[in-house]
Amino acid sequence: APSGAMTSSLTHSAFRLGASHAGFRTRCASKTPRAFARTSLVVRNEGTGRFIVGGNWKCNGTIESVAELCKGLNAGKIADNVDIVVAPPFLYIDQAVEALDAKRFKVAAQNAWVEYTLQDPTHHYDSDTGAFTGEVSAEMLEDLDVPWVILGHSERRTLMGEDNVTVGKKVAHARYHGLSVIVCVGESLEERESGETLDVIFAQLRAVADEIDDREHSSWGSQVVIAYEPIWAIGTGKVATPEQAQEVHAAIRQWLADNVSEEVSKATRIQYGGSVNDGNCEDLAKYSDIDGFLVGGASLDADKFVQICNSSVAHYKAVGRL
């Protein structure tokens, strides 16, 4: 059964995470090169942030459908212990901002441009030119008071060729311009099956941590959210089991403790994304290191999305904060 206690343990299935990380070696009695052996994982760094749910509308919507969705969201009865961020396509951001109840819903962009070839020791990455046809900059989002942005989503990594370095620069650039960031990490099915899950995710995290200077590290808890989205589960209907998701979330939190700080580890919110819906959200939310969700398809249905937001109640009860 799930537990919110920081000293709780979970029994491992043969979930292939990766075998080369000292932090996990200290918590695993033994493991094969391809999978953790059956043992116990001690959850040492349960998060302390508010539950946060994001809705990524992706490339979906019309003026009419966005109006109906916003109307349904405003009508929903949502617990007051959850932060909610929705990300319409760029063309509908202004409509969503005008239509949604600003006290309950914040709006995000789905991407922000950075000139990835820039080398900048200040980690600001401001371009001297606007010769980037079709792109939207963090400066523009700042100018429009759009408070959040999603960066590093797997669809941009795989379809647009964004690598870890580019994503790290985007996060630094967005933070410099005052945007809060949901930064996505996750492995492909091939990487998972070959035992590279943690290698992949830790490299993605390192690219971000290297670009955020020490002054910015203190803001991770409230303004940099990590979304773990196993690529093999996005839009496929396949979902990692709650135990599997918790294992990766705990590994991410431990990496933050070891490589950034214990304070950042506890304060940073880690979302799970990958075919989250109204039927599985409560089971996932009961685990201590799952601090919320980044929702795709189900975020286009107001009733389903409201129910997912309300899984915050199950989370707080499970971890003893309600």
Side-chain angles (χ1 to χ4, degrees), residues 123-170:
H123 305 282
H124 295 164
Y125 299 107
D126 278 340
S127 298
D128 294 328
T129 174
F132 304 107
T133 301
E135 296 294 345
V136 174
S137 69
E139 293 95 324
M140 293 175 180
L141 298 176
E142 178 187 27
D143 188 44
L144 292 173
D145 292 324
V146 176
W148 284 85
V149 62
I150 298 173
L151 296 173
H153 192 279
S154 65
E155 290 162 3
R156 295 203 60 85
R157 291 179 187 264
T158 57
L159 299 177
M160 307 298 179
E162 293 184 2
D163 59 17
N164 292 345
V165 173
T166 300
V167 173
K169 290 180 178 181
K170 283 189 171 189

Side-chain angles (χ1 to χ4, degrees), residues 196-270:
E196 299 175 355
T197 294
L198 292 188
D199 296 286
V200 170
I201 292 172
F202 290 173
Q204 292 167 340
L205 293 174
R206 170 56 65 192
V208 173
D210 285 348
E211 291 290 353
I212 299 181
D213 64 30
D214 290 339
R215 293 171 298 174
E216 289 290 339
H217 279 154
S218 62
S219 72
W220 275 47
S222 60
Q223 294 174 305
V224 178
V225 173
I226 296 169
Y228 167 56
E229 294 195 302
I231 298 171
W232 48 270
I234 298 174
T236 64
K238 298 179 180 179
V239 185
T241 67
E243 292 84 2
Q244 290 171 339
Q246 166 64 22
E247 286 174 331
V248 176
H249 282 228
I252 291 171
R253 200 174 302 284
Q254 188 61 48
W255 188 93
L256 292 173
D258 294 340
N259 293 274
V260 184
S261 74
E262 193 79 22
E263 179 184 7
V264 165
S265 171
K266 291 181 178 180
T268 298
R269 295 175 289 181
I270 307 171

Side-chain angles (χ1 to χ4, degrees), residues 23-260:
F24 264 70
R25 277 200 287 270
T26 63
R27 300 196 295 282
C28 295
S30 64
K31 55 179 175 281
T32 66
R34 287 175 58 82
F36 281 116
R38 291 183 178 276
T39 181
S40 292
L41 169 65
V42 178
V43 181
R44 299 191 299 190
N45 290 309
E46 171 190 315
T48 58
R50 275 170 60 91
F51 203 77
I52 180 168
V53 176
N56 181 9
W57 298 358
K58 303 190 178 183
C59 191
N60 293 292
T62 63
I63 292 174
E64 182 179 0
S65 68
V66 169
E68 286 299 312
L69 180 53
C70 291
K71 180 180 178 181
L73 292 174
N74 286 337
K77 295 182 179 179
I78 301 175
D80 61 3
N81 56 8
V82 57
D83 292 337
I84 307 171
V85 180
V86 297
F90 282 120
L91 289 175
Y92 302 114
I93 285 178
D94 187 61
Q95 182 185 357
V97 169
E98 291 295 323
L100 287 169
D101 180 352
K103 293 181 179 179
R104 295 194 294 167
F105 302 98
K106 302 300 180 185
V107 173
Q110 297 178 16
N111 181 46
W113 171 253
V114 74
E115 189 177 356
Y116 67 92
T117 57
L118 282 180
Q119 300 298 317
D120 184 355
T122 69
H123 305 282
H124 295 164
Y125 299 107
D126 278 340
S127 298
D128 294 328
T129 174
F132 304 107
T133 301
E135 296 294 345
V136 174
S137 69
E139 293 95 324
M140 293 175 180
L141 298 176
E142 178 187 27
D143 188 44
L144 292 173
D145 292 324
V146 176
W148 284 85
V149 62
I150 298 173
L151 296 173
H153 192 279
S154 65
E155 290 162 3
R156 295 203 60 85
R157 291 179 187 264
T158 57
L159 299 177
M160 307 298 179
E162 293 184 2
D163 59 17
N164 292 345
V165 173
T166 300
V167 173
K169 290 180 178 181
K170 283 189 171 189
V171 173
H173 184 53
R175 286 296 307 121
Y176 177 64
H177 286 280
L179 302 178
S180 296
V181 176
I182 297 174
V183 57
C184 302
V185 300
E187 83 284 10
S188 68
L189 182 60
E190 180 181 2
E191 290 163 341
R192 171 184 164 89
E193 290 297 329
S194 63
E196 299 175 355
T197 294
L198 292 188
D199 296 286
V200 170
I201 292 172
F202 290 173
Q204 292 167 340
L205 293 174
R206 170 56 65 192
V208 173
D210 285 348
E211 291 290 353
I212 299 181
D213 64 30
D214 290 339
R215 293 171 298 174
E216 289 290 339
H217 279 154
S218 62
S219 72
W220 275 47
S222 60
Q223 294 174 305
V224 178
V225 173
I226 296 169
Y228 167 56
E229 294 195 302
I231 298 171
W232 48 270
I234 298 174
T236 64
K238 298 179 180 179
V239 185
T241 67
E243 292 84 2
Q244 290 171 339
Q246 166 64 22
E247 286 174 331
V248 176
H249 282 228
I252 291 171
R253 200 174 302 284
Q254 188 61 48
W255 188 93
L256 292 173
D258 294 340
N259 293 274
V260 184

